[in-house]
Amino acid sequence: MIGEALRGKRIAVTGATGFLGTALVERLLRTIPDCEVAILVRPGRRATAAHRLQREILRNDCFNRLRAELGDRFDAETSRRLRVISGDVGQEGLGLEPDESDVLAGCDVVIHSAATVSFDAPLDTAVEVNLLGPSRLAETLGETGRPGPHLIAVSTAYVAGTRRGDAPEALLTETAYATHADWRAEVAAARRARSDADAESRQPERLAHFTKAARGELGAAGGPLLAERAERLRDEWVKEHLVALGRTRAQSLGWPDAYAYTKALGERALLENRGDLPLTIVRPSIIESALAEPHPGWIRGFRMAEPVIISYARGLLGQFPGVPEGVVDVIPVDLVVAAILAVAAEGPPEQPDVYQVASGTRNPLRYDHLVSLAESWFTEHPLYDSRGQPIVVPNWSFPGRGKVQRQLSRAGKGLEAAERLMGALPLRGRRAELASHLEERRQQAERALSYVELYGSYAETEARFRVDRLLSLWERTDDADRRALCFDPAVIDWAHYLHEVHLPSVVTQARVRTTPGPRVGPTRAERGLRAVLAPERHLAAFDLENTLVASNVVESYAWLATRHLNEGDRLRFTLRTLREVPGMLALDRRDRGDFLRAFYRHYDEAPAEQVRADAWEMFSALILAKSFPDGIRRVRDHRSRGHRTLLITGAIDLVVEPLRPLFDDIVCARLAERDGRMIGELVEPPPTGEARAMVMADYAETEGLSLSESVAYADSSSDLPMLEAVGHPVAVNPEAKLATIARKRGWHVENWTRSPGAPRHLLPFAPRPATPSEVS
């Protein structure tokens, strides 16, 4: 019996934080009596290996059944039987301490399931983990001088690549599709590619491109944020370059992607480097949700098929390449786990051995049957859109991959052009959200294209993975083991599995809407409002222009400058201002602080007392008339709840002075004066960009407040530092760039409007004060 054969054994598992590895650890603890399990876990940036064991493995719902069976003994039992080892298969020597190497070497069985399973991993990452990882583990086990444990290396059936026909359970060197590529040369080339790509990304023209792209996304957000985004774009460029290189290199050698390619070369390298270590290679096909163990439908994360299924159910993917009569080789995770344990119970082989765990030859699922089952299930159990209406799934066709790629590529480019056009328009609020929705549609098209490029070849594969040795092992298994550890693919009823197990699980994992009609409970906007007005908030910081008032420093200056001008002078003022507008707009887009410094020079030689007196007149005539009543109420709401309120604005002090009673404090620009006249220079740098975040941090520290419990209101991407500094950012009447950022980050959005009865003027000119004769 499998359980008896493994009873009391010490079994090591790598990749325990992954889908298959988590299922392996759970089944070992639940079904193999008295075995000890050592798990190799890579420490995170902020978490030790032990913390990851608790957080990412034992707290997973995979362990709910075992937790229920053990009750109060769960923690004690898992602590007694589990040993966590801090290590990384992507490093030479696994990054182990000497005593930890001894623990691994002292195991009876080592199951290596750690891998970079992403089909679009960067080439060098896939090489370090998938290609070199198994060899590093074997070498570490062999260096202790002890008799080596039985190493079970989990590979993939798709090491067969894009070949047609039968793929036997045999070492790659013994098959017709063996590759003669030198794996050492591939490793060297991948490492060199990372270095070359990084060097290319640092060329001046590349850096200028990243900076320009960052400014296009964030606008005048300030130097530090633009630099941070430009550096992130550089990193993404290097990664995308290596992803593309991995895909093209793999395809040039006959594999669909870097995952299968590095797994195949990893098998070759392991055979050369294993020494005398007993070795069995287990090759699953596409691993999907559990058929029965630990409970039907258990899955961890989104596998290969899930993004495609959900995109289809949401009506976003009407076509996908594939051969209707072709086989989609899917295998539930619990069958793979059972097969691995059966292989372990067989004991170490004298020569390297291979088992494949696949359904295609034993119990094939045809592609057209899969589509038919998905269509019927989502027709009966539709997803619902944001209005609560059912989404009608499209009739799936079976076009060639090239046709689908061309269609999606054209759609993406068209949406990108429309998005650029919308982004160039001065839109705000709900109109600006149209640009954000266009970006979302473009991303959906690009995502669909990536699915086609990544997974299309798997839907078109014509390889048939033989499972003769697996079935021979099944025949040698007794009835008790067959009930407890089933691994025969023939037991799968595909209609039952998809309709009753897999698709309901996928929908639950995706957290998509499955109920019709209006949403029950508060809307997202209502939840956002509750959060920003919660009693525990400390500080509410507000921008002024286009956040609390539909006005700006240009309008304020125009009102003040024209207050005492006659009609002729007003005309000349208008013409002069119109000539300056393009340059000022360009300067504002580049740097808000530079724009304010340049613009405030217009106040040079203005009589200070007269401007202050006129500013009070302007407050009622312009500022209040253009204010947003909802915004003024919001400030009062915060104060009524005991929150500190702070206005941070680049407007000058004399303009915002009438607003002081509304706020606890105001931070604004201030013009220097000499001999009763303004000199057009600021006393200190204006509070813009990252300076606003610094102002808020200093203010919070002085007042004993927490920015994570604070709220900030602003309208422009140039205010990103201010919004990112708090725990609860609010985008008010956002311009297009900020609307897009707010949607991506899930920020609360408010659209405030002016009072409908307020007067509206074509030009923000002040009425001339009445002369003494006019008064009399």
Side-chain angles (χ1 to χ4, degrees):
M1 292 180 65
I2 296 173
E4 287 303 312
L6 297 177
R7 176 189 286 271
K9 300 286 189 182
R10 177 180 285 179
I11 301 171
V13 178
T14 71
T17 57
F19 179 38
L20 177 61
T22 299
L24 270 166
V25 173
E26 190 275 342
R27 188 75 76 92
L28 284 167
L29 294 177
R30 184 164 52 83
T31 64
I32 307 301
D34 300 323
C35 74
E36 296 179 24
V37 183
I39 60 173
L40 182 73
V41 178
R42 177 174 53 84
R45 291 181 178 178
R46 300 180 180 177
T48 64
H51 284 141
R52 292 193 68 194
L53 165 65
Q54 294 295 326
R55 185 183 66 200
E56 300 179 36
I57 301 175
L58 294 179
R59 291 181 188 174
N60 188 277
D61 61 347
C62 182
F63 288 84
N64 287 353
R65 177 174 172 179
L66 182 61
R67 187 176 283 103
E69 291 178 2
L70 294 177
D72 294 339
R73 295 186 296 115
F74 178 82
D75 290 338
E77 187 70 6
T78 54
S79 296
R80 181 178 70 85
R81 297 178 62 191
L82 278 176
R83 167 76 181 268
V84 63
I85 300 172
S86 179
D88 182 1
V89 299
Q91 293 184 22
E92 295 298 331
L94 308 185
L96 297 177
E97 297 296 332
D99 60 328
E100 294 177 327
S101 298
D102 291 338
V103 172
L104 271 183
C107 290
D108 300 289
V109 180
V110 175
I111 303 171
H112 177 56
S113 69
T116 294
V117 298
S118 173
F119 294 161
D120 60 346
L123 175 60
D124 62 321
T125 302
V127 162
E128 294 295 337
V129 177
N130 296 343
L131 197 163
L132 294 175
S135 290
R136 290 188 179 116
L137 179 59
E139 290 167 352
T140 300
L141 294 173
E143 286 171 356
T144 61
R146 301 181 183 182
H150 180 192
L151 175 59
I152 301 175
V154 180
S155 183
T156 174
Y158 289 93
V159 295
T162 55
R163 280 76 175 177
R164 299 178 180 180
D166 285 352
E169 291 169 293
L171 300 175
L172 287 179
T173 53
E174 299 171 0
T175 65
Y177 48 84
T179 178
H180 299 289
D182 183 344
W183 65 265
R184 291 181 177 84
E186 297 298 306
V187 170
R191 290 171 171 171
R192 188 167 57 250
R194 162 67 71 172
S195 177
D196 291 346
D198 187 76
E200 171 65 21
S201 73
R202 298 173 188 273
Q203 293 297 312
E205 59 273 15
R206 290 282 182 196
L207 295 175
H209 170 77
F210 300 140
T211 300
K212 182 179 179 181
R215 190 174 295 280
E217 289 182 27
L218 304 182
L225 269 184
L226 289 173
E228 180 182 335
R229 180 56 184 157
E231 179 63 12
R232 195 176 301 129
L233 289 172
R234 188 189 69 82
D235 288 339
E236 291 172 1
W237 182 89
V238 172
K239 178 182 176 181
E240 290 168 3
H241 179 82
L242 290 167
V243 167
L245 179 60
R247 185 181 302 123
T248 54
R249 180 55 178 160
Q251 291 171 354
S252 73
L253 293 173
W255 286 284
D257 50 51
Y259 173 67
Y261 151 70
T262 52
K263 277 291 192 179
L265 293 183
E267 285 191 22
R268 287 269 308 276
L270 179 57
L271 288 172
E272 291 184 28
N273 295 323
R274 72 180 181 89
D276 296 326
L277 205 66
L279 172 65
T280 302
I281 296 172
V282 176
R283 297 181 187 142
S285 54
I286 301 169
I287 307 178
E288 286 293 351
S289 64
L291 179 65
E293 302 280 347
H295 59 80
W298 176 77
I299 194 169
R300 179 164 193 167
F302 263 22
R303 316 312 303 163
M304 186 187 89
E306 283 69 71
V308 177
I309 289 172
I310 292 299
S311 293
Y312 168 71
R314 295 176 65 195
L316 304 176
L317 193 61
Q319 296 187 99
F320 200 80
V323 181
E325 65 277 10
V327 173
V328 181
D329 207 310
V330 170
I331 192 75
V333 65
D334 45 342
L335 271 66
V336 180
V337 169
I340 291 172
L341 297 185
V343 168
E346 280 282 284
E350 292 184 2
Q351 295 296 324
D353 217 348
V354 177
Y355 289 89
Q356 292 182 160
V357 192
S359 61
T361 56
R362 175 71 164 165
N363 183 12
L365 172 62
R366 306 289 179 188
Y367 189 32
D368 57 354
H369 189 202
L370 169 63
V371 170
S372 175
L373 290 171
E375 182 178 358
S376 63
W377 194 84
F378 282 112
T379 299
E380 186 176 349
H381 307 89
L383 303 186
Y384 292 83
D385 62 21
S386 59
R387 297 169 297 172
Q389 298 299 309
I391 298 172
V392 178
V393 292
N395 293 320
W396 201 299
S397 58
F398 301 93
R401 201 173 352 154
K403 179 181 178 182
V404 180
Q405 287 174 327
R406 288 191 295 272
Q407 289 176 344
L408 291 172
S409 180
R410 283 196 297 268
K413 289 178 180 178
L415 289 166
E416 184 179 11
E419 183 187 348
R420 282 199 303 268
L421 176 62
M422 293 287 288
L425 298 175
L427 303 177
R428 286 191 173 276
R430 291 185 174 87
R431 292 179 179 177
E433 290 177 9
L434 293 174
S436 176
H437 291 315
L438 277 175
E439 188 202 42
E440 185 176 18
R441 292 290 302 277
R442 174 181 59 79
Q443 290 177 338
Q444 289 170 352
E446 290 175 349
R447 196 176 303 121
L449 179 59
S450 71
Y451 294 156
V452 171
E453 291 174 342
L454 289 175
Y455 308 135
S457 59
Y458 289 86
E460 296 175 337
T461 185
E462 296 184 59
R464 295 293 175 264
F465 309 122
R466 303 297 305 178
V467 290
D468 306 286
R469 303 194 70 255
L470 182 79
L471 295 179
S472 176
L473 180 60
W474 176 251
E475 291 299 321
R476 301 195 300 273
T477 304
D478 61 29
D479 289 342
D481 279 339
R482 289 187 178 192
R483 288 190 296 272
L485 291 161
C486 177
F487 56 88
D488 182 4
V491 303
I492 307 169
D493 178 332
W494 290 114
H496 169 80
Y497 174 71
L498 286 164
H499 278 188
E500 307 300 326
V501 177
H502 185 61
L503 292 177
S505 175
V506 169
V507 167
T508 300
Q509 289 284 323
R511 298 180 181 178
V512 288
R513 187 172 182 183
T514 58
T515 55
R519 289 187 182 272
V520 178
T523 64
R524 177 177 174 179
E526 290 169 339
R527 291 194 302 271
L529 183 57
R530 288 181 184 178
V532 300
L533 289 176
E536 58 268 27
R537 300 294 162 257
H538 290 186
L539 169 69
F542 291 82
D543 178 35
L544 179 63
E545 297 173 359
N546 294 307
T547 300
L548 293 176
V549 297
S551 185
N552 54 51
V553 297
V554 177
E555 289 189 340
S556 298
Y557 170 73
W559 199 97
L560 293 170
T562 58
R563 175 67 167 154
H564 301 281
L565 297 182
N566 58 38
E567 294 303 322
D569 289 336
R570 289 186 178 216
L571 177 59
R572 283 186 287 275
F573 173 85
T574 301
L575 295 175
R576 184 174 65 254
T577 303
L578 289 175
R579 286 196 302 270
E580 295 177 353
V581 164
M584 287 294 179
L585 286 175
L587 184 58
D588 192 20
R589 284 193 293 266
R590 288 196 301 272
D591 189 287
R592 181 68 174 174
D594 288 347
F595 162 76
L596 291 177
R597 291 186 190 90
F599 186 79
Y600 284 144
R601 294 192 183 99
H602 289 85
Y603 282 89
D604 191 33
E605 292 299 319
E609 289 305 317
Q610 179 181 301
V611 172
R612 286 193 177 88
D614 290 340
W616 280 93
E617 295 288 335
M618 181 183 67
F619 177 70
S620 58
L622 179 71
I623 304 299
L624 283 182
K626 289 200 167 190
S627 68
F628 302 132
D630 288 335
I632 304 302
R633 277 193 292 270
R634 182 61 53 80
V635 180
R636 290 172 174 161
D637 284 342
H638 279 291
R639 294 195 76 173
S640 69
R641 287 166 168 77
H643 307 158
R644 296 284 294 185
T645 55
L646 175 67
L647 177 65
I648 307 178
T649 176
I652 52 179
D653 54 346
L654 58 88
V655 171
V656 300
E657 187 63 30
L659 290 169
R660 285 198 179 276
L662 186 62
F663 296 91
D664 290 301
D665 290 287
I666 292 178
V667 177
C668 60
R670 188 159 56 92
L671 286 173
E673 297 179 23
R674 184 185 302 123
D675 299 329
R677 290 187 175 272
M678 297 176 176
I679 61 174
E681 295 178 5
L682 293 171
V683 174
E684 55 190 26
T688 61
E690 60 274 13
R692 294 191 173 193
M694 296 172 64
V695 165
M696 292 168 60
D698 291 343
Y699 186 86
E701 183 178 1
T702 301
E703 300 294 331
L705 309 174
S706 169
L707 287 183
S708 64
E709 287 293 343
S710 298
V711 189
Y713 296 81
D715 70 293
S716 170
S717 61
S718 64
D719 299 313
L720 273 176
M722 173 181 177
L723 294 168
E724 290 182 335
V726 298
H728 301 274
V730 181
V732 178
N733 303 333
E735 43 85 39
K737 288 184 176 65
L738 183 60
T740 298
I741 293 168
R743 178 187 59 77
K744 287 180 178 178
R745 303 188 186 182
W747 289 353
H748 185 53
V749 177
E750 299 261 8
N751 289 296
W752 295 337
T753 59
R754 295 168 56 184
S755 176
R760 298 175 184 268
H761 302 287
L762 180 61
L763 296 174
F765 289 172
R768 292 182 62 201
T771 63
S773 61
E774 290 171 335
V775 171
S776 61

